[in-house]
Each structure stands twice: as structure tokens, then as C-alpha cells.
Amino acid sequence: MTPVRARAHIAPELLSSLRNLVESASGIVLGDAKLPHLSSVVRGRMAALGVPDAPRYMEFLSEGERGAAERRDLVSELLVGETGFFRTPALFQAFEKAILPGLLEQGFVSPLPVWCAGCATGEEAYSVAISALEGSLGLAAPVRVRATDLHPRFIDAAREGIYPAQALRNLPGRIRETWFRTLKDGRYRVTDAVRRLVDFEERNLIDFLSDPLPTARYAAILCRNVMIYFRSDTTRRLVERFHESLSEGGVLFLGHSETLWGISEAFRLEQREKVFYYRKARASICPPRPAAAPRSSGSSAPRRGGARAEPPPPGADSSPAMKLVLSAEKLADEGRSEEAVAMCRQAAALDPGCPEAEYLMAFLLRGHGRHAEALYHAERALERDPRFVFADMEAAECLGGMGRTGEAALRWKGILRAIEGSVHFPRLSAGAGISSEMLRQYVLSRLPRNPVAGVPPH
């Protein structure tokens, strides 16, 4: 007998209805590039339930409590539970050594209430608790972490606190020995000292929009790489609720490709080393929101073009992420910068290795005076492609805009050396036709005429 999964066909109109249902249930927006994944997951759910065709599966989804449970399972299967202990190590180092002590110095009382929204199988929440214990100066309960996720099986696994050895492979031996216990089967269990600091709860983040505010405000909220799947208006409403749920002086951590530019001006961007986060200001008055502006082609924002560029790989421009970036570029050219940044975030989520998404965000953020955020995204573009010369130029422009003229000059010197060799340029339309000599002359124009410490004049 042919398995249900193999013979099930999902008509395009039903697939569209399922996509709308997923957004209604979870806020998650599935673009056209995600439709094959949705179709595959639905066929898997049909096979598991023994439902022979898509129309009957749609009927099942509307059947009272059983249908509600299946809607949760469907959305859960669609989510990528990508997580890990101390993912983005610099963030947890900053939390342990600077942010947590800073919150205590501000007058926050331990245990500090922390919320991990979208905690997956618990690694992030436990990482927060371990970082707090490491930096707590002897406090037995420095934090109280509320960890929530939509996926019931994720929450069950998180509560159990047992992980395979591979999940701990990148942890320092001391951390592994102090905060984990080895089981007979070779797996590891989080110690009770850590587990007692974390409460796991199955919760849909979208429900937070209508839930009553917590009676005790949070000192910190982590919502990393979750809102990239939402529409801008949903993200804006969630960020407003995060702001209301934080105590004054509390902090908000987002994912590496996420920014509040165009979403909220209620937070103040702060930086520790290479970690960026947002703080709820103690003052209630926020600066006016700057108007969106089209990209400039003046001296501080050159046309993005190239010197001796290597051609992109065949078909590179047709990838779903690059299509989004190219659409974002068109929006930026129309002066719709906020929408362009939102689209770049989607592209970065779709393909974290796409340097153009990070680069275009850097360009747009710098154009609106957000130099620190722009520098962060320019550096991320360079992490993905060290020979991406225009990302390097963006970083240099940001350093200059932040008053770090010595660092900027050194950067421009390095760029001048780099363009003598082989460099990579963005797979974007702007900047086409700029010659190697034109780019060289631009870089020379950015170098200081007067000597800067450590930088000889050109």
C-alpha cells in the first residue's frame, strides 16, 4: 500500500490556506520559498495521523480541542529549534561580567527576573542561569529565568535537562564539570543548582500581545532570532510589549541580524565588546523618530561599486535570500528604508551566510546615523566574506562617523592595500560601472591629509 505521505497532494489554494492558518496561529510568515517545507511538514503530519488527503486534514484542524492541538503540533514542526549552549559566547560573557553586575549596581535585587522567549530545548535559558551563577559573586540564586516556547516537545526536553555529549562539545571543560553531571549512557544532565533557577512554560509568543502584563517587571528579556519570522507590525507590537514588561534600566537582547531600527525608538542601543543590546531608558521621553531618507551618493556614502571583482557563482543571484536582498535594494532606492531593513532581516534569516543582507543593512543604518548598529552588520558581512571590500568600506565609514578617526584611518589604509588584489563586490545593482581606479581614488579621498597616530599620511 502506498504510504499516505507519498501519495498526498496538496492543491496550491489549500497550501495558501494552510500558510494563512500558520500565521494566524503563531504570527510566523512563510514566504513562497518556505512553501515546499510547509508542504513536506503537512504531508508528514497527515501520515502520522492517517489522514488520506489535504481537504480532510483541513477539516481536522478545525475540530475543537483535537484541531487546536494539531495546529500547535503543525506550527511546532515548522519551527527550526536551532539552539545551543552559550550560542554567541560574547553575549554570555558580557552578561556575566558586565551586564548582570551593572543591573545589580543600578539597584535591581536578586534574583533578577529574566525571560527567554522562544527558548527551544532550553540551552539558552540554562546558559543564562550558568552565566549568572558564574558572575554572581557567591549568590545562590542570582536570577529567576522564565523560559517559554510554543513547541510542547521542546519544553518537555528542556524541563528534563538532559543533552547528548555532542551538545556540550564546545563548552570549556570547567563549565562542563561544574554545571553538568555525566549519566551512565554518556549523556549529560544540567545540575540542580542550575535547573532550580529556570521555569519552563509552553507559551505562544503571540498570546503575549493580549496577556496581562507581568506584575513584576523583567530585568532582561532575550528574544533572539524569533521576530525575524513575523510581519513588521507584529514585531512592532511585541517590542512595545517588551518595553512595557521591562523595568526601567532593563535590557533586551535580539538576534544577530535583528535591529529595532524602524520598529521602536523607545530603547537605547548599547554595546559591550562586539555585543549589542537595547536598554529601556529611565527617562520616559524618547527622541523623535527620524524620517526615512533615500540613499545618498555623496562623499560620505559612495556609490557601491567595485574595483577588480570576482564574478559571483552561477545562479547566486537567483537564491531566495538574494532575491529578497535585491527587492530590499529597490525599496531603499525608493526611500522605503525601514521596509528594506525588514526585508534584509528576512534574507539573513533565510540564509545566514549571505553577506549582502548584512551589508545592505549596514549601509541603510549608517545613512540614518545609527553608526554602532551599522558597524556591527558590516563586521558580520566581513565574517561571511573577508574579501567583501564594500563591507570593509562601510565599517570604515562607521568608525569615522563614531569619532574613532584613528581606527577609521587604519581601516582605509587596509582597504587601499586590499583593492590592489582580488576583492569581492556585492551582487547588487548599485555601483555598477565604477572602475578600479575610481574606487582607489575614493579610498584615497577618505584617508586623512594630516598624520594620525600610527597612520602615515598618504
Side-chain angles (χ1 to χ4, degrees):
M1 182 176 178
T2 304
V4 171
R5 183 172 187 148
R7 71 170 191 242
H9 170 73
I10 305 175
E13 59 272 17
L14 274 178
L15 201 59
S16 179
S17 296
L18 285 163
R19 171 164 61 179
N20 294 338
L21 182 148
V22 167
E23 182 176 358
S24 175
S26 66
I28 295 170
V29 178
L30 298 175
D32 290 346
K34 291 289 187 181
L35 288 180
H37 177 55
L38 172 61
S39 179
S40 175
V41 169
V42 169
R43 290 199 304 271
R45 294 303 306 157
M46 290 165 58
L49 295 166
V51 177
D53 55 52
R56 270 181 267 191
Y57 181 69
M58 286 292 291
E59 290 177 9
F60 182 77
L61 288 171
S62 63
E63 291 181 5
E65 291 185 8
R66 287 203 313 164
E70 176 57 22
R71 289 195 297 273
R72 288 194 298 272
D73 285 343
L74 171 61
V75 171
S76 298
E77 292 287 343
L78 287 166
L79 299 179
V80 179
E82 186 178 356
T83 186
F85 286 103
F86 298 94
R87 196 175 176 200
T88 315
L91 184 153
F92 293 99
Q93 290 171 11
F95 183 78
E96 172 192 337
K97 299 183 183 302
I99 298 169
L100 175 63
L103 290 169
L104 292 172
E105 287 174 7
Q106 287 180 51
F108 284 88
V109 178
S110 64
L112 297 178
V114 177
W115 179 20
C116 288
C119 67
T121 47
E123 290 93 331
E124 179 179 78
Y126 286 132
S127 298
V128 170
I130 291 171
S131 296
L133 286 166
E134 287 279 315
S136 64
L137 302 176
L139 291 174
V143 293
R144 189 80 210 170
V145 182
R146 179 195 182 205
T148 63
D149 199 277
L150 177 67
H151 200 315
R153 288 190 290 278
F154 283 179
I155 291 296
D156 289 343
R159 286 187 178 126
E160 190 177 35
I162 297 176
Y163 299 91
Q166 187 173 354
L168 280 67
R169 66 189 184 281
N170 295 324
L171 294 186
R174 186 187 64 78
I175 295 292
R176 189 167 54 245
E177 293 165 8
T178 304
W179 304 114
F180 295 85
R181 294 290 175 264
T182 308
L183 303 179
K184 292 180 180 179
D185 60 5
R187 294 183 298 167
Y188 288 83
R189 183 168 190 168
V190 182
T191 63
D192 290 343
V194 177
R195 294 176 66 213
R196 70 186 181 199
L197 302 185
V198 186
D199 298 312
F200 290 101
E201 176 185 349
E202 181 188 336
R203 196 69 179 163
N204 189 337
L205 189 56
I206 292 301
D207 293 339
F208 175 58
L209 294 173
S210 55
D211 284 348
L213 289 172
T215 51
R217 300 295 192 260
Y218 297 107
I221 296 175
L222 294 87
C223 186
R224 303 169 66 204
N225 304 314
V226 176
M227 295 187 294
I228 50 178
Y229 301 108
F230 296 158
R231 294 191 188 278
S232 293
D233 58 338
T234 303
T235 299
R236 189 171 290 109
R237 291 164 59 207
L238 278 170
V239 170
E240 288 174 359
R241 293 286 282 178
F242 287 151
H243 188 267
E244 293 170 345
S245 301
L246 278 169
S247 296
E248 289 188 356
V251 293
L252 171 66
F253 296 93
L254 301 179
H256 60 76
S257 293
E258 296 175 296
T259 173
L260 293 186
W261 185 71
I263 299 296
S264 173
E265 293 292 332
F267 289 87
R268 183 177 70 244
L269 180 70
E270 296 189 2
Q271 178 184 5
R272 289 280 180 178
E273 300 297 331
K274 291 187 176 182
V275 176
F276 289 85
Y277 55 94
Y278 293 90
R279 189 180 297 277
K280 179 176 178 177
R282 292 190 175 275
S284 59
I285 300 175
C286 299
R289 187 169 167 175
R295 287 177 293 170
S296 167
S297 58
S299 61
S300 64
R303 287 183 68 199
R304 292 175 285 118
R308 195 167 61 208
E310 293 183 2
D317 291 349
S318 62
S319 70
M322 270 309 300
K323 286 181 178 178
L324 284 173
V325 175
L326 292 169
S327 297
E329 185 184 31
K330 290 178 182 177
L331 290 172
D333 286 333
E334 296 169 4
R336 297 159 64 185
S337 300
E338 294 178 6
E339 295 172 70
V341 169
M343 193 164 286
C344 286
R345 287 200 301 265
Q346 295 174 23
L350 193 61
D351 179 6
C354 176
E356 283 85 358
E358 300 286 352
Y359 162 68
L360 188 54
M361 272 195 283
F363 185 91
L364 294 168
L365 289 164
R366 180 173 66 85
H368 285 259
R370 302 180 77 104
H371 293 94
E373 280 179 281
L375 177 61
Y376 172 73
H377 289 288
E379 296 286 13
R380 289 196 64 82
L382 285 167
E383 288 173 11
R384 283 145 182 75
D385 184 353
R387 289 194 289 167
F388 191 176
V389 67
F390 290 142
D392 218 354
M393 292 166 64
E394 276 302 313
E397 295 284 13
C398 291
L399 289 167
M402 296 164 71
R404 294 158 62 176
T405 53
E407 294 174 72
L410 288 170
R411 197 84 180 226
W412 286 117
K413 279 282 187 180
I415 294 167
L416 191 61
R417 290 191 296 270
I419 60 178
E420 299 300 325
S422 176
V423 293
H424 295 166
F425 298 159
R427 298 166 289 177
L428 301 170
S429 61
I434 291 183
S435 68
S436 173
E437 182 57 26
M438 291 168 64
L439 181 60
R440 182 175 178 276
Q441 289 301 320
Y442 179 81
V443 174
L444 287 171
S445 75
R446 306 304 290 156
L447 285 166
R449 297 288 175 181
N450 299 316
V452 176
V455 182
H458 65 274

